[in-house]
Amino acid sequence: MVANILLTLLAACSAVVGVPTAQTGLDNATLAKVKANLAQIATHSWEIGTQLETLLELEWPKLSVFGGDIPPSTRLPSSDTAADVFAKTAEIVPNITDIPGPLINGDGAVGDPASLGVPVLLTNWTRTDRNNKFSVAASNQLNYLLNDAPRTEDGAISHRTDQVQLWADFVYMAPPFIAYYGALQGGSVGAELLQFAYTQCKLYRKYLRDDSGLWKHIVLGNWTDTTHWGTGNAWAAAGMLRVLETIRRSSEADNMLSERLELTSWINEILTHAWTFQQTNGTLLNYLDQPGSFPDSSSTALLGAVTYRMAALTGDLTHVSSADDAFSVIKASLTDDGWLLNTVDPLTFNTPSVPGSYSPEGQAFVLLLHSAWRDYTAAFPRI
């Protein structure tokens, strides 16, 4: 009853015209450059997975978890719809295989290959031939996560293959795939998978959140990183948002009202505490609450994207001005050639990208920020 009332109020808030953003988006030429640069440097599993999710949100929003039905129609509007996404999934899954395991080499990570899962599932759902290689590949990936990957005693799937170790990054990689698989599956099995995706978010929050309201980066295993890494908090917030939207658009939406409320609260918790540390020029620091840390445009962009999407979803515009300021600094951090500057090196976590080196995920986050801004302004147009 309480969950019903609160969600009704959220929906009512969304219908009220709020204060629109004063921000403007990126022009098409800039978007094209950023996208081309992303395609050029995305090589690791999580980078490619994030790239494909980004293309869906940017170019094919009706096929993304934020803009369309789940399940989507099995018939695409035209033969070139999402052709760039499907061409990439065809590279990832060239042949059918009965060997259980991840979709792609994860460089020792359990979760990262699963970031490719939603595009692969979408490819299978909309295919016009009888080749079931995408279905088998997605099933193999799911079975690996559910049955083979290391876990904590209470069921949190490890982010690493060689030990039980939890990374905030995992929440963007695996739970959204598990949830989407469940939404397409439907029935009791689908409901169980949606619940399982939510539970992974809950368990990860249990281990990684501390009294600051922010998430630590890495816990357990033979080494840890208990700092409040900006990109780690962004990954966690963005991943929970994808799970939330998948549940909300699924047939189980009404049966998972309390889970949706909790996810909404957990996402807002990260946003509220992260934006507290926003610098005067709009950027966030690599370690959010460490004044001596360096500015990081990657986490700034992704947390800005989550903020716009949450505002469009809930009608709560509390943090939109922070997202606007973040967007301004992202624009100022783009070169004329479409490269994002002032990023953390995603492979070290604690050093800036060296001159002439760029962050694949940072490039993706720019496009996710623009896409989220676009959809927010459609929900709250300027008058």
Side-chain angles (χ1 to χ4, degrees), residues 19-354:
V19 178
T21 177
Q23 190 55 264
T24 57
L26 299 171
D27 60 57
N28 289 337
T30 300
L31 291 171
K33 292 175 183 177
V34 174
K35 185 178 76 168
N37 291 339
L38 169 59
Q40 178 183 331
I41 62 174
T43 57
H44 295 288
S45 58
W46 83 90
E47 296 167 350
I48 300 171
T50 305
Q51 175 197 9
L52 298 186
E53 294 289 0
T54 297
L55 292 177
L56 290 174
E57 291 186 36
L58 177 69
E59 300 176 335
W60 318 105
K62 292 298 183 183
L63 294 177
S64 81
V65 297
F66 297 110
D69 297 327
I70 303 176
S73 171
T74 57
R75 291 191 175 186
L76 298 173
S78 66
S79 59
D80 62 349
T81 298
D84 49 356
V85 175
F86 297 151
K88 194 67 178 180
T89 57
E91 292 179 18
I92 296 164
V93 188
N95 301 298
I96 191 169
T97 176
D98 292 326
I99 302 174
L103 285 162
I104 192 174
N105 179 14
D107 300 309
V110 169
D112 291 347
S115 66
L116 296 152
V118 170
V120 168
L121 284 170
L122 185 62
T123 305
N124 180 68
W125 189 261
T126 58
R127 63 186 170 85
T128 57
D129 58 35
R130 296 184 178 182
N131 191 333
N132 68 340
K133 64 179 182 179
F134 296 105
S135 174
V136 172
S139 178
N140 286 342
Q141 174 66 74
L142 180 69
N143 288 334
Y144 173 73
L145 290 172
L146 299 186
N147 301 316
D148 297 331
R151 294 195 196 190
T152 62
E153 290 185 0
D154 54 356
I157 300 173
S158 172
H159 187 57
R160 302 300 298 176
T161 60
D162 61 342
Q163 60 183 312
V164 175
Q165 190 175 62
L166 308 185
W167 295 36
D169 316 38
F170 175 90
V171 177
Y172 187 88
M173 310 303 164
F177 162 65
I178 297 168
Y180 197 77
Y181 200 112
L184 296 188
Q185 179 77 30
S188 60
V189 173
E192 289 174 3
L193 289 173
L194 286 163
Q195 186 69 42
F196 187 83
Y198 154 80
T199 300
Q200 288 301 306
C201 295
K202 182 176 183 178
L203 287 169
Y204 262 73
R205 178 178 178 270
K206 168 189 167 183
Y207 280 97
L208 293 173
R209 178 194 178 275
D210 61 26
D211 291 341
S212 72
L214 296 170
W215 285 34
K216 294 170 281 190
H217 182 201
I218 302 168
V219 298
L220 305 182
N222 57 18
W223 64 281
T224 63
D225 177 7
T226 59
T227 62
H228 301 131
W229 187 43
T231 304
N233 278 268
W235 282 130
M240 288 191 290
L241 176 57
R242 294 184 62 80
V243 172
L244 171 62
E245 276 292 78
T246 303
I247 294 172
R248 191 176 74 86
R249 294 172 185 271
S250 76
S251 61
E252 290 298 310
D254 291 342
N255 296 327
M256 297 185 70
L257 294 173
S258 61
E259 290 87 348
R260 289 161 57 193
L261 277 175
E262 286 191 309
L263 287 165
T264 299
S265 174
W266 300 340
I267 297 162
N268 281 327
E269 179 180 56
I270 291 176
L271 294 178
T272 296
H273 291 92
W275 290 128
T276 299
F277 300 103
Q278 188 172 31
Q279 305 299 292
T280 55
N281 71 340
T283 194
L284 293 169
L285 301 178
N286 182 55
Y287 296 125
L288 292 167
D289 53 354
Q290 294 185 17
S293 187
F294 56 88
D296 172 42
S297 54
S298 289
S299 57
T300 303
L302 186 54
L303 284 168
V306 173
T307 298
Y308 281 134
R309 293 233 176 259
M310 286 298 290
L313 173 63
T314 67
D316 181 354
L317 311 185
T318 302
H319 300 302
V320 167
S321 62
S322 295
D324 284 347
D325 291 344
F327 207 166
S328 292
V329 79
I330 294 305
K331 291 176 183 176
S333 301
L334 284 171
T335 70
D336 291 341
D337 293 330
W339 292 107
L340 182 65
L341 303 178
N342 306 316
T343 60
V344 61
D345 184 331
L347 300 182
T348 68
F349 320 134
N350 59 7
T351 58
S353 297
V354 299

